[in-house]
Amino acid sequence: MKTIRILLIAFSALLLSCKESNQDQLFISEISSERIQIDESIKGDDDINKFIAPFKEHLNNTLDSTLAYNPKLLSKNDGDLNTAIGNMMADALMIQANPVIKKRSGRDIDFALINHGGIRSELPQGGVSTRSAYNLMPFENEIVVAELSGVKIKEMLRYLEKAKTAHPVSKEIQIRTNKDYSIFEAKIKGEQIDKNKTYLVATSDYLYNGGDNMAFFKDPINLYSTNYKIRNALIDYFTRVDTIKADIDKRYIRE
């Protein structure tokens, strides 16, 4: 009983303290704001600038070190249904992601598909660096591989017909359209698409989750994660090839 009495006294004291504290509370009656322009007119703090200088120098050296050479300017606006830069990026995904998926699934990736809007810069002629990869792909998107039925691949083709856009595909798929963008032939690795087969399609997690209205990726038979960012795949690809070889070809054409 003595313990209970002590607890009651302590609890009562706590309630009284809270009540008295509440009476002294201050309440905000007005909030004001002011827009502060962040530009070159704001001077940096000398001590902070000195502290970060060596880190900044190291980061810039890492970003700007040459990984490969690009013989000509590459732009996503240089083609109708396929572009040299888009072809290079889609092929890079295939080359870099396939060993990972082969190990996890026992199968090769059948082809890659990414989106035209995801290419965020040109690739200038000259040295290609890590910064180049960040400019091309500033997002944190990762490569995923969806196992889709032949029926879903047909849905993808209907999507491409309506889009009339140079969404990059890797060289393993060949698509031919007529003048009004209607697809009259599509093959994967030289073979007709079989509705009874399944295909492994490399793409970005953004598109897999419905980005650019690519709903055909929904509910795949299987989904394989690579834990590999597209940007990192590009960096590894640049390091691997030494000289960029990218051209507009006949993988996706309008006749």
Side-chain angles (χ1 to χ4, degrees):
M1 291 295 293
K2 184 177 180 180
T3 302
I4 295 175
R5 195 176 300 116
I6 291 172
L7 288 173
L8 287 174
I9 293 171
F11 184 64
S12 300
L14 178 61
L15 289 177
L16 181 60
S17 175
C18 290
K19 184 176 181 181
E20 290 175 350
S21 176
N22 288 338
Q23 291 175 351
D24 296 332
Q25 282 184 347
L26 297 177
F27 297 93
I28 298 173
S29 61
E30 182 181 350
I31 298 176
S32 61
S33 63
E34 178 184 356
R35 182 184 292 273
I36 299 175
Q37 191 70 24
I38 306 298
D39 55 26
E40 293 81 3
S41 64
I42 299 177
K43 294 183 179 180
D45 184 279
D46 289 339
D47 290 336
I48 294 177
N49 287 338
K50 289 178 182 178
F51 177 78
I52 67 173
F55 301 100
K56 182 179 180 180
E57 181 181 4
H58 175 73
L59 178 60
N60 285 332
N61 288 339
T62 300
L63 288 174
D64 294 327
S65 60
T66 300
L67 305 176
Y69 175 73
N70 179 36
K72 60 184 178 182
L73 171 69
L74 300 178
S75 168
K76 71 176 184 179
N77 299 315
D78 64 2
D80 182 15
L81 289 179
N82 78 87
T83 66
I85 193 169
N87 293 346
M88 180 270 293
M89 291 178 66
D91 289 344
L93 258 68
M94 278 288 299
I95 291 169
Q96 297 303 133
N98 194 61
V100 178
I101 296 305
K102 183 70 176 288
K103 190 173 182 179
R104 295 183 180 181
S105 71
R107 291 176 54 182
D108 289 313
I109 300 171
D110 289 291
F111 67 94
L113 167 68
I114 52 178
N115 61 321
H116 183 261
I119 305 171
R120 305 305 286 188
S121 75
E122 297 177 331
L123 191 63
Q125 180 184 13
V128 179
S129 63
T130 298
R131 193 185 297 275
S132 304
Y134 272 83
N135 290 337
L136 283 171
M137 180 56 63
F139 314 112
E140 296 300 305
N141 298 134
E142 293 190 356
I143 303 170
V144 296
V145 176
E147 183 178 358
L148 302 181
S149 66
V151 173
K152 287 275 191 177
I153 299 299
K154 297 286 188 181
E155 287 182 25
M156 180 199 78
L157 296 176
R158 289 195 292 272
Y159 171 90
L160 292 175
E161 279 185 336
K162 293 179 180 178
K164 301 179 177 64
T165 303
H167 290 307
V169 295
S170 64
K171 62 185 177 182
E172 288 75 18
I173 186 169
Q174 303 84 41
I175 305 171
R176 298 168 65 196
T177 82
N178 57 26
K179 294 298 182 182
D180 66 358
Y181 294 93
S182 296
I183 295 173
F184 65 86
E185 183 178 69
K187 294 182 179 180
I188 298 174
K189 296 180 178 177
E191 297 183 357
Q192 297 290 338
I193 297 167
D194 186 344
K195 67 179 182 180
N196 297 314
K197 289 182 61 176
T198 66
Y199 299 88
L200 296 185
V201 184
T203 189
S204 72
D205 54 354
Y206 167 73
L207 296 180
Y208 167 74
N209 287 308
D212 274 13
N213 298 312
M214 293 193 183
F216 51 85
F217 279 120
K218 186 178 180 181
D219 299 325
I221 295 169
N222 283 303
L223 179 68
Y224 300 96
S225 173
T226 63
N227 305 118
Y228 201 0
K229 295 187 187 302
I230 294 177
R231 180 175 59 243
N232 292 346
L234 290 175
I235 292 169
D236 291 342
Y237 176 77
F238 294 152
T239 304
R240 177 178 188 155
V241 299
D242 184 67
T243 299
I244 304 297
K245 295 179 181 179
D247 294 292
I248 298 172
D249 56 26
K250 294 186 176 182
R251 69 185 66 188
Y252 185 14
I253 58 172
R254 185 161 64 111
E255 299 181 350

